[in-house]
Amino acid sequence: MDKTSFIGKHIDYADTPVLWLNIDAFDRNVIRMKEFCNKNSVIWRPHVKASKSPDLALRLINSGAVGITCAKVSEAEVMVAGGVRDLLIANEIVGNTKINRLIEISKIAKVCVACDDEQNIQDISKIASDSNVIIDVLVDLNVGMDRCGVHLDKAPVLAKLVSDLPGVRLRGLMGYEGHVMGLDSDDKRDVSKDVSELISVARRNLESQGFEIEICSGGGTGNYWHSASLGGINELQAGGGALMDVNYMEQMNVPNHEYALFINAQIVSTTVPGQVVLDSGWKTTGRHTGLPKVVSHPDAKVKSLSAEHGMISVDSNHSFNHGERMTLVPHYSDSTVLLHRNLFIVKNDIVEDVWEISGSGALQ
Ligand SMILES: Cc1ncc(COP(=O)(O)O)c(C=O)c1O
Protein backbone atom coordinates (compact mmCIF):
# COMPACT_ATOMS: atom_id res chain seq x y z
CA MET A 1 0.00 0.00 0.00
CA ASP A 2 1.30 3.45 -0.89
CA LYS A 3 0.59 5.18 2.39
CA THR A 4 1.56 8.60 1.06
CA SER A 5 -1.51 8.56 -1.19
CA PHE A 6 -3.72 8.82 1.93
CA ILE A 7 -1.79 11.41 3.92
CA GLY A 8 -3.56 14.75 4.06
CA LYS A 9 -6.86 13.25 2.85
CA HIS A 10 -10.14 12.71 4.73
CA ILE A 11 -10.37 9.28 6.40
CA ASP A 12 -13.39 8.52 4.17
CA TYR A 13 -10.95 8.37 1.27
CA ALA A 14 -9.62 5.08 2.71
CA ASP A 15 -11.58 2.02 1.60
CA THR A 16 -13.50 0.03 4.19
CA PRO A 17 -13.10 -1.69 6.51
CA VAL A 18 -10.40 0.59 7.82
CA LEU A 19 -8.86 0.61 11.30
CA TRP A 20 -7.96 4.08 12.52
CA LEU A 21 -6.68 5.89 15.55
CA ASN A 22 -7.91 9.28 16.73
CA ILE A 23 -4.42 10.45 17.60
CA ASP A 24 -5.60 13.31 19.83
CA ALA A 25 -7.74 10.94 21.93
CA PHE A 26 -4.84 8.47 22.03
CA ASP A 27 -2.44 11.16 23.23
CA ARG A 28 -4.90 12.26 25.92
CA ASN A 29 -5.22 8.66 27.18
CA VAL A 30 -1.43 8.39 27.18
CA ILE A 31 -1.08 11.62 29.17
CA ARG A 32 -3.61 10.31 31.74
CA MET A 33 -1.68 7.08 32.23
CA LYS A 34 1.72 8.76 32.31
CA GLU A 35 0.60 11.49 34.72
CA PHE A 36 -0.92 8.88 37.01
CA CYS A 37 2.40 7.03 37.01
CA ASN A 38 4.32 10.24 37.66
CA LYS A 39 2.07 11.15 40.57
CA ASN A 40 2.75 7.77 42.15
CA SER A 41 6.45 7.60 41.25
CA VAL A 42 5.87 4.52 39.11
CA ILE A 43 7.69 3.88 35.85
CA TRP A 44 5.42 3.25 32.87
CA ARG A 45 6.24 0.34 30.58
CA PRO A 46 3.04 -0.08 28.54
CA HIS A 47 2.09 -3.43 27.06
CA VAL A 48 1.91 -3.35 23.25
CA LYS A 49 0.38 -6.79 22.72
CA ALA A 50 -2.81 -5.07 21.54
CA SER A 51 -1.30 -2.42 19.27
CA LYS A 52 1.51 -4.51 17.73
CA SER A 53 2.94 -1.50 15.93
CA PRO A 54 6.51 -0.25 16.47
CA ASP A 55 5.45 3.28 15.41
CA LEU A 56 2.86 3.29 18.15
CA ALA A 57 5.40 1.90 20.63
CA LEU A 58 7.82 4.70 19.74
CA ARG A 59 5.08 7.27 20.26
CA LEU A 60 4.49 5.84 23.76
CA ILE A 61 8.21 6.04 24.48
CA ASN A 62 8.39 9.61 23.16
CA SER A 63 5.51 10.41 25.52
CA GLY A 64 7.45 9.23 28.55
CA ALA A 65 7.21 5.43 28.67
CA VAL A 66 10.56 3.94 29.73
CA GLY A 67 10.21 1.17 27.15
CA ILE A 68 7.56 -1.38 26.31
CA THR A 69 6.15 -4.65 27.56
CA CYS A 70 5.37 -7.38 25.07
CA ALA A 71 4.08 -10.93 25.17
CA LYS A 72 6.12 -12.92 22.69
CA VAL A 73 9.66 -13.10 21.43
CA SER A 74 8.47 -12.54 17.85
CA GLU A 75 6.58 -9.43 19.00
CA ALA A 76 9.81 -8.23 20.62
CA GLU A 77 11.71 -8.85 17.35
CA VAL A 78 9.24 -6.69 15.45
CA MET A 79 9.56 -3.93 18.05
CA VAL A 80 13.36 -4.03 17.96
CA ALA A 81 13.34 -3.97 14.15
CA GLY A 82 11.15 -0.87 14.41
CA GLY A 83 13.58 0.93 16.72
CA VAL A 84 12.50 0.03 20.28
CA ARG A 85 15.52 -0.47 22.54
CA ASP A 86 14.13 -1.33 25.97
CA LEU A 87 11.72 -4.25 26.37
CA LEU A 88 10.18 -6.51 28.95
CA ILE A 89 8.79 -9.78 27.65
CA ALA A 90 6.25 -10.38 30.40
CA ASN A 91 6.07 -14.03 29.62
CA GLU A 92 8.02 -17.28 29.84
CA ILE A 93 10.32 -17.85 26.84
CA VAL A 94 10.74 -21.60 26.58
CA GLY A 95 12.80 -23.80 24.27
CA ASN A 96 16.18 -23.30 22.61
CA THR A 97 14.73 -21.86 19.39
CA LYS A 98 13.00 -19.01 21.18
CA ILE A 99 15.84 -18.48 23.65
CA ASN A 100 18.25 -18.10 20.73
CA ARG A 101 15.93 -15.47 19.25
CA LEU A 102 15.88 -13.73 22.62
CA ILE A 103 19.68 -13.70 22.66
CA GLU A 104 19.79 -12.12 19.19
CA ILE A 105 17.43 -9.33 20.32
CA SER A 106 19.54 -8.75 23.42
CA LYS A 107 22.53 -7.92 21.19
CA ILE A 108 20.62 -4.88 19.94
CA ALA A 109 18.26 -3.89 22.76
CA LYS A 110 17.92 -4.10 26.53
CA VAL A 111 15.71 -7.13 27.19
CA CYS A 112 14.19 -8.45 30.36
CA VAL A 113 12.17 -11.66 30.60
CA ALA A 114 9.86 -13.33 33.13
CA CYS A 115 10.81 -16.77 34.48
CA ASP A 116 8.99 -19.20 36.75
CA ASP A 117 11.00 -22.39 36.29
CA GLU A 118 14.48 -23.57 37.24
CA GLN A 119 15.14 -25.49 34.03
CA ASN A 120 14.07 -22.47 31.98
CA ILE A 121 16.49 -20.24 33.90
CA GLN A 122 19.29 -22.77 33.37
CA ASP A 123 18.52 -22.95 29.64
CA ILE A 124 18.58 -19.15 29.25
CA SER A 125 21.75 -18.92 31.32
CA LYS A 126 23.55 -21.53 29.21
CA ILE A 127 22.67 -20.04 25.83
CA ALA A 128 23.22 -16.45 27.00
CA SER A 129 26.62 -17.15 28.56
CA ASP A 130 27.73 -19.17 25.51
CA SER A 131 26.83 -16.09 23.45
CA ASN A 132 28.48 -13.66 25.86
CA VAL A 133 25.30 -11.75 26.61
CA ILE A 134 23.38 -11.11 29.82
CA ILE A 135 19.62 -11.50 29.97
CA ASP A 136 17.75 -9.62 32.69
CA VAL A 137 15.23 -11.72 34.59
CA LEU A 138 12.13 -10.99 36.65
CA VAL A 139 10.96 -13.83 38.86
CA ASP A 140 7.33 -14.34 37.88
CA LEU A 141 5.02 -14.60 40.91
CA ASN A 142 1.57 -16.16 40.85
CA VAL A 143 -0.45 -13.38 42.47
CA GLY A 144 -3.77 -15.23 42.21
CA MET A 145 -4.40 -15.45 38.49
CA ASP A 146 -3.20 -19.07 38.37
CA ARG A 147 -1.67 -18.72 34.93
CA CYS A 148 2.12 -18.48 35.12
CA GLY A 149 4.28 -17.57 38.09
CA VAL A 150 5.59 -19.30 41.20
CA HIS A 151 4.16 -19.26 44.68
CA LEU A 152 5.65 -16.68 47.03
CA ASP A 153 7.63 -19.38 48.89
CA LYS A 154 9.44 -20.47 45.76
CA ALA A 155 10.59 -17.01 44.66
CA PRO A 156 13.86 -17.13 46.69
CA VAL A 157 14.89 -20.43 45.07
CA LEU A 158 14.55 -18.88 41.61
CA ALA A 159 16.14 -15.59 42.68
CA LYS A 160 19.15 -17.50 44.03
CA LEU A 161 19.49 -19.55 40.86
CA VAL A 162 19.42 -16.43 38.68
CA SER A 163 21.94 -14.73 40.97
CA ASP A 164 24.30 -17.74 40.92
CA LEU A 165 24.26 -18.46 37.19
CA PRO A 166 26.19 -16.67 34.43
CA GLY A 167 24.39 -15.00 31.51
CA VAL A 168 21.38 -13.99 33.61
CA ARG A 169 20.91 -11.09 36.01
CA LEU A 170 18.19 -10.77 38.64
CA ARG A 171 16.32 -7.48 38.21
CA GLY A 172 13.25 -8.10 40.33
CA LEU A 173 9.74 -9.50 40.39
CA MET A 174 6.69 -9.58 38.20
CA GLY A 175 3.15 -10.26 39.39
CA TYR A 176 0.39 -9.83 36.82
CA GLU A 177 -3.12 -9.82 38.24
CA GLY A 178 -5.32 -10.66 35.24
CA HIS A 179 -8.01 -12.11 37.54
CA VAL A 180 -8.66 -8.62 38.95
CA MET A 181 -9.50 -6.76 35.74
CA GLY A 182 -13.19 -7.67 35.39
CA LEU A 183 -14.14 -7.40 39.08
CA ASP A 184 -16.71 -4.92 40.41
CA SER A 185 -15.27 -1.74 41.78
CA ASP A 186 -15.01 -2.62 45.51
CA ASP A 187 -13.70 -6.11 44.84
CA LYS A 188 -11.26 -4.71 42.30
CA ARG A 189 -9.84 -2.29 44.85
CA ASP A 190 -9.65 -4.98 47.56
CA VAL A 191 -8.09 -7.70 45.42
CA SER A 192 -5.65 -5.20 43.87
CA LYS A 193 -4.63 -4.37 47.43
CA ASP A 194 -4.10 -8.06 48.23
CA VAL A 195 -1.95 -8.42 45.10
CA SER A 196 0.06 -5.34 46.00
CA GLU A 197 0.63 -6.69 49.51
CA LEU A 198 1.70 -10.07 48.17
CA ILE A 199 4.27 -8.44 45.86
CA SER A 200 5.53 -6.29 48.76
CA VAL A 201 5.89 -9.35 51.00
CA ALA A 202 7.80 -11.19 48.25
CA ARG A 203 10.06 -8.19 47.77
CA ARG A 204 10.80 -7.76 51.49
CA ASN A 205 11.43 -11.47 51.80
CA LEU A 206 13.97 -11.43 48.97
CA GLU A 207 15.63 -8.25 50.18
CA SER A 208 15.99 -9.70 53.68
CA GLN A 209 17.90 -12.57 52.08
CA GLY A 210 20.27 -10.14 50.39
CA PHE A 211 18.78 -10.00 46.89
CA GLU A 212 18.57 -6.63 45.20
CA ILE A 213 15.06 -6.08 43.86
CA GLU A 214 15.09 -3.13 41.52
CA ILE A 215 11.88 -3.77 39.58
CA CYS A 216 8.44 -4.91 40.73
CA SER A 217 6.27 -5.06 37.62
CA GLY A 218 2.54 -5.61 37.11
CA GLY A 219 -0.83 -3.92 36.62
CA GLY A 220 -3.14 -3.77 33.63
CA THR A 221 -5.47 -1.21 32.11
CA GLY A 222 -8.37 -2.74 34.06
CA ASN A 223 -6.90 -1.83 37.46
CA TYR A 224 -3.94 0.50 36.91
CA TRP A 225 -5.38 3.32 39.00
CA HIS A 226 -5.24 0.88 41.93
CA SER A 227 -2.10 -1.09 41.17
CA ALA A 228 0.04 1.96 40.40
CA SER A 229 -0.95 3.70 43.63
CA LEU A 230 -0.77 0.89 46.18
CA GLY A 231 3.00 0.64 46.49
CA GLY A 232 3.50 -3.01 45.46
CA ILE A 233 4.79 -2.28 41.98
CA ASN A 234 7.20 0.34 40.71
CA GLU A 235 6.76 -0.48 37.00
CA LEU A 236 3.32 -0.51 35.39
CA GLN A 237 2.55 -2.77 32.42
CA ALA A 238 -0.89 -1.34 31.53
CA GLY A 239 -0.97 -0.37 27.85
CA GLY A 240 -4.28 -1.04 26.12
CA GLY A 241 -5.89 1.94 27.84
CA ALA A 242 -4.11 4.17 25.37
CA LEU A 243 -6.34 2.71 22.63
CA MET A 244 -9.43 1.99 24.74
CA ASP A 245 -12.34 -0.18 23.69
CA VAL A 246 -15.79 -1.28 24.85
CA ASN A 247 -14.36 -3.99 27.09
CA TYR A 248 -12.16 -1.55 29.03
CA MET A 249 -14.90 1.08 29.13
CA GLU A 250 -17.95 -1.02 30.02
CA GLN A 251 -16.68 -4.30 31.52
CA MET A 252 -13.61 -2.99 33.34
CA ASN A 253 -14.98 0.52 34.02
CA VAL A 254 -11.68 2.25 33.31
CA PRO A 255 -12.26 5.83 34.45
CA ASN A 256 -11.47 9.02 32.51
CA HIS A 257 -10.32 7.40 29.27
CA GLU A 258 -11.84 7.95 25.85
CA TYR A 259 -12.21 5.77 22.78
CA ALA A 260 -9.28 6.27 20.42
CA LEU A 261 -9.47 3.18 18.19
CA PHE A 262 -12.17 2.92 15.52
CA ILE A 263 -13.23 0.93 12.49
CA ASN A 264 -15.02 2.56 9.58
CA ALA A 265 -17.29 0.14 7.74
CA GLN A 266 -19.82 0.62 4.96
CA ILE A 267 -23.34 -0.58 4.35
CA VAL A 268 -23.51 -3.34 1.74
CA SER A 269 -27.14 -4.44 2.16
CA THR A 270 -30.44 -2.98 3.37
CA THR A 271 -32.86 -5.74 2.33
CA VAL A 272 -34.10 -6.66 5.82
CA PRO A 273 -36.38 -4.01 7.37
CA GLY A 274 -34.89 -2.40 10.48
CA GLN A 275 -31.44 -3.71 9.62
CA VAL A 276 -28.39 -2.69 7.64
CA VAL A 277 -25.47 -4.98 6.90
CA LEU A 278 -21.88 -3.73 7.14
CA ASP A 279 -18.86 -5.08 5.30
CA SER A 280 -17.23 -5.85 8.66
CA GLY A 281 -17.73 -9.09 10.53
CA TRP A 282 -15.66 -10.78 13.21
CA LYS A 283 -12.68 -11.12 10.86
CA THR A 284 -12.52 -7.31 11.00
CA THR A 285 -13.67 -6.51 14.51
CA GLY A 286 -12.73 -9.61 16.49
CA ARG A 287 -15.32 -10.92 18.92
CA HIS A 288 -13.37 -12.53 21.70
CA THR A 289 -15.13 -10.65 24.50
CA GLY A 290 -18.25 -9.20 22.86
CA LEU A 291 -19.74 -7.15 20.06
CA PRO A 292 -18.40 -3.82 18.82
CA LYS A 293 -20.35 -0.64 19.37
CA VAL A 294 -21.67 1.73 16.68
CA VAL A 295 -20.70 5.27 17.65
CA SER A 296 -21.60 7.20 14.49
CA HIS A 297 -25.38 6.57 14.59
CA PRO A 298 -27.14 6.89 17.96
CA ASP A 299 -29.89 4.26 17.39
CA ALA A 300 -27.78 1.72 15.55
CA LYS A 301 -26.67 -1.38 17.43
CA VAL A 302 -24.63 -4.42 16.41
CA LYS A 303 -26.99 -7.44 16.55
CA SER A 304 -24.61 -10.12 15.38
CA LEU A 305 -21.47 -10.75 13.36
CA SER A 306 -20.66 -13.35 10.76
CA ALA A 307 -17.18 -13.66 9.32
CA GLU A 308 -17.46 -10.80 6.83
CA HIS A 309 -20.74 -9.11 7.75
CA GLY A 310 -21.99 -7.05 10.66
CA MET A 311 -25.76 -7.06 11.17
CA ILE A 312 -26.87 -3.73 12.61
CA SER A 313 -30.33 -2.95 13.94
CA VAL A 314 -31.46 0.54 12.92
CA ASP A 315 -34.53 2.72 13.22
CA SER A 316 -36.80 1.48 10.40
CA ASN A 317 -38.17 5.01 9.88
CA HIS A 318 -34.74 6.18 8.85
CA SER A 319 -33.49 5.30 5.35
CA PHE A 320 -29.94 4.13 4.80
CA ASN A 321 -28.05 3.86 1.53
CA HIS A 322 -25.54 1.40 0.18
CA GLY A 323 -22.04 2.76 0.68
CA GLU A 324 -23.00 4.86 3.71
CA ARG A 325 -20.39 4.58 6.42
CA MET A 326 -20.69 3.70 10.06
CA THR A 327 -18.00 3.98 12.71
CA LEU A 328 -17.49 1.17 15.22
CA VAL A 329 -15.47 0.87 18.40
CA PRO A 330 -13.98 -2.64 18.78
CA HIS A 331 -15.07 -4.59 21.82
CA TYR A 332 -11.51 -5.62 22.64
CA SER A 333 -8.60 -3.92 20.90
CA ASP A 334 -6.38 -6.90 21.75
CA SER A 335 -8.39 -9.20 19.47
CA THR A 336 -9.00 -6.56 16.76
CA VAL A 337 -5.76 -4.80 15.82
CA LEU A 338 -3.92 -8.03 15.01
CA LEU A 339 -6.46 -8.73 12.23
CA HIS A 340 -5.31 -5.64 10.30
CA ARG A 341 -2.14 -4.66 8.43
CA ASN A 342 -2.37 -0.89 8.75
CA LEU A 343 -3.49 1.63 11.31
CA PHE A 344 -4.56 4.98 9.90
CA ILE A 345 -3.54 7.88 12.12
CA VAL A 346 -6.24 10.54 12.03
CA LYS A 347 -6.45 14.09 13.35
CA ASN A 348 -9.68 16.04 12.85
CA ASP A 349 -10.81 13.46 10.25
CA ILE A 350 -7.63 13.93 8.18
CA VAL A 351 -5.09 11.11 7.76
CA GLU A 352 -1.73 12.16 9.20
CA ASP A 353 0.10 8.89 8.73
CA VAL A 354 -0.38 5.16 8.24
CA TRP A 355 1.41 2.89 10.70
CA GLU A 356 2.15 -0.69 9.78
CA ILE A 357 0.86 -3.27 12.26
CA SER A 358 3.96 -5.33 11.65
CA GLY A 359 3.39 -7.42 14.77
CA SER A 360 0.13 -8.91 13.49
CA GLY A 361 0.65 -12.66 13.36
CA ALA A 362 3.70 -12.42 15.64
CA LEU A 363 2.68 -15.28 17.92
CA GLN A 364 5.86 -17.28 18.47
C1 LIG B 1 1.41 -10.02 31.43
C2 LIG B 1 0.40 -8.95 31.18
N1 LIG B 1 0.66 -7.70 31.59
C3 LIG B 1 -0.21 -6.69 31.41
C4 LIG B 1 -1.42 -6.92 30.78
C5 LIG B 1 -2.36 -5.76 30.64
O1 LIG B 1 -2.40 -5.29 29.36
P1 LIG B 1 -3.40 -4.11 28.97
O2 LIG B 1 -3.11 -2.97 29.84
O3 LIG B 1 -3.04 -3.85 27.55
O4 LIG B 1 -4.78 -4.64 29.13
C6 LIG B 1 -1.74 -8.21 30.33
C7 LIG B 1 -3.03 -8.46 29.68
O5 LIG B 1 -3.38 -9.51 29.24
C8 LIG B 1 -0.80 -9.25 30.53
O6 LIG B 1 -1.07 -10.49 30.14
PDB file of all heavy atoms in Angstrom, residues 1 4 50 57-58 67 112 161 194 217 244:
ATOM      1  N   MET A   1       0.839  -1.200   0.000  1.00  0.00           N
ATOM      2  CA  MET A   1       0.000   0.000   0.000  1.00  0.00           C
ATOM      3  C   MET A   1       0.878   1.255   0.000  1.00  0.00           C
ATOM      4  O   MET A   1       1.826   1.333   0.769  1.00  0.00           O
ATOM      5  CB  MET A   1      -0.864   0.015   1.270  1.00  0.00           C
ATOM      6  CG  MET A   1      -1.936   1.074   1.233  1.00  0.00           C
ATOM      7  SD  MET A   1      -2.779   1.232   2.817  1.00  0.00           S
ATOM      8  CE  MET A   1      -1.563   2.048   3.802  1.00  0.00           C
ATOM      9  N   THR A   4       1.520   7.151   1.314  1.00  0.00           N
ATOM     10  CA  THR A   4       1.563   8.603   1.064  1.00  0.00           C
ATOM     11  C   THR A   4       0.316   9.078   0.311  1.00  0.00           C
ATOM     12  O   THR A   4      -0.061  10.235   0.407  1.00  0.00           O
ATOM     13  CB  THR A   4       2.822   8.991   0.266  1.00  0.00           C
ATOM     14  OG1 THR A   4       2.834   8.209  -0.921  1.00  0.00           O
ATOM     15  CG2 THR A   4       4.091   8.764   1.058  1.00  0.00           C
ATOM     16  N   ALA A  50      -1.605  -5.426  22.280  1.00  0.00           N
ATOM     17  CA  ALA A  50      -2.813  -5.074  21.536  1.00  0.00           C
ATOM     18  C   ALA A  50      -2.481  -4.286  20.279  1.00  0.00           C
ATOM     19  O   ALA A  50      -3.052  -4.527  19.218  1.00  0.00           O
ATOM     20  CB  ALA A  50      -3.758  -4.255  22.415  1.00  0.00           C
ATOM     21  N   ALA A  57       4.525   2.091  19.470  1.00  0.00           N
ATOM     22  CA  ALA A  57       5.402   1.897  20.634  1.00  0.00           C
ATOM     23  C   ALA A  57       6.346   3.090  20.787  1.00  0.00           C
ATOM     24  O   ALA A  57       6.554   3.603  21.897  1.00  0.00           O
ATOM     25  CB  ALA A  57       6.194   0.604  20.473  1.00  0.00           C
ATOM     26  N   LEU A  58       6.897   3.558  19.672  1.00  0.00           N
ATOM     27  CA  LEU A  58       7.824   4.699  19.744  1.00  0.00           C
ATOM     28  C   LEU A  58       7.096   5.960  20.195  1.00  0.00           C
ATOM     29  O   LEU A  58       7.660   6.792  20.914  1.00  0.00           O
ATOM     30  CB  LEU A  58       8.511   4.916  18.397  1.00  0.00           C
ATOM     31  CG  LEU A  58       9.494   3.798  17.986  1.00  0.00           C
ATOM     32  CD1 LEU A  58      10.033   4.052  16.588  1.00  0.00           C
ATOM     33  CD2 LEU A  58      10.649   3.661  18.980  1.00  0.00           C
ATOM     34  N   GLY A  67      10.009   2.200  28.173  1.00  0.00           N
ATOM     35  CA  GLY A  67      10.211   1.165  27.152  1.00  0.00           C
ATOM     36  C   GLY A  67       8.857   0.507  26.981  1.00  0.00           C
ATOM     37  O   GLY A  67       7.838   1.106  27.311  1.00  0.00           O
ATOM     38  N   CYS A 112      14.434  -7.814  29.079  1.00  0.00           N
ATOM     39  CA  CYS A 112      14.189  -8.455  30.361  1.00  0.00           C
ATOM     40  C   CYS A 112      13.072  -9.469  30.131  1.00  0.00           C
ATOM     41  O   CYS A 112      12.174  -9.243  29.318  1.00  0.00           O
ATOM     42  CB  CYS A 112      13.746  -7.375  31.356  1.00  0.00           C
ATOM     43  SG  CYS A 112      13.596  -7.939  33.041  1.00  0.00           S
ATOM     44  N   LEU A 161      18.976 -18.916  42.074  1.00  0.00           N
ATOM     45  CA  LEU A 161      19.486 -19.550  40.859  1.00  0.00           C
ATOM     46  C   LEU A 161      19.919 -18.487  39.844  1.00  0.00           C
ATOM     47  O   LEU A 161      21.015 -18.569  39.281  1.00  0.00           O
ATOM     48  CB  LEU A 161      18.390 -20.446  40.273  1.00  0.00           C
ATOM     49  CG  LEU A 161      18.789 -21.348  39.113  1.00  0.00           C
ATOM     50  CD1 LEU A 161      19.883 -22.327  39.522  1.00  0.00           C
ATOM     51  CD2 LEU A 161      17.571 -22.112  38.594  1.00  0.00           C
ATOM     52  N   ASP A 194      -4.692  -6.771  47.833  1.00  0.00           N
ATOM     53  CA  ASP A 194      -4.099  -8.062  48.230  1.00  0.00           C
ATOM     54  C   ASP A 194      -2.887  -8.381  47.350  1.00  0.00           C
ATOM     55  O   ASP A 194      -1.861  -8.853  47.838  1.00  0.00           O
ATOM     56  CB  ASP A 194      -5.120  -9.202  48.065  1.00  0.00           C
ATOM     57  CG  ASP A 194      -6.300  -9.053  49.022  1.00  0.00           C
ATOM     58  OD1 ASP A 194      -6.183  -8.274  49.997  1.00  0.00           O
ATOM     59  OD2 ASP A 194      -7.339  -9.694  48.765  1.00  0.00           O
ATOM     60  N   SER A 217       7.043  -5.405  38.821  1.00  0.00           N
ATOM     61  CA  SER A 217       6.271  -5.057  37.624  1.00  0.00           C
ATOM     62  C   SER A 217       4.904  -5.727  37.624  1.00  0.00           C
ATOM     63  O   SER A 217       4.786  -6.896  37.998  1.00  0.00           O
ATOM     64  CB  SER A 217       7.097  -5.517  36.407  1.00  0.00           C
ATOM     65  OG  SER A 217       6.373  -5.369  35.228  1.00  0.00           O
ATOM     66  N   MET A 244      -8.073   2.144  24.175  1.00  0.00           N
ATOM     67  CA  MET A 244      -9.426   1.988  24.741  1.00  0.00           C
ATOM     68  C   MET A 244     -10.347   1.190  23.820  1.00  0.00           C
ATOM     69  O   MET A 244     -10.127   1.082  22.619  1.00  0.00           O
ATOM     70  CB  MET A 244     -10.069   3.330  25.078  1.00  0.00           C
ATOM     71  CG  MET A 244      -9.613   3.856  26.407  1.00  0.00           C
ATOM     72  SD  MET A 244      -9.886   2.715  27.793  1.00  0.00           S
ATOM     73  CE  MET A 244     -11.630   2.909  28.122  1.00  0.00           C
TER      74      MET A 244
END
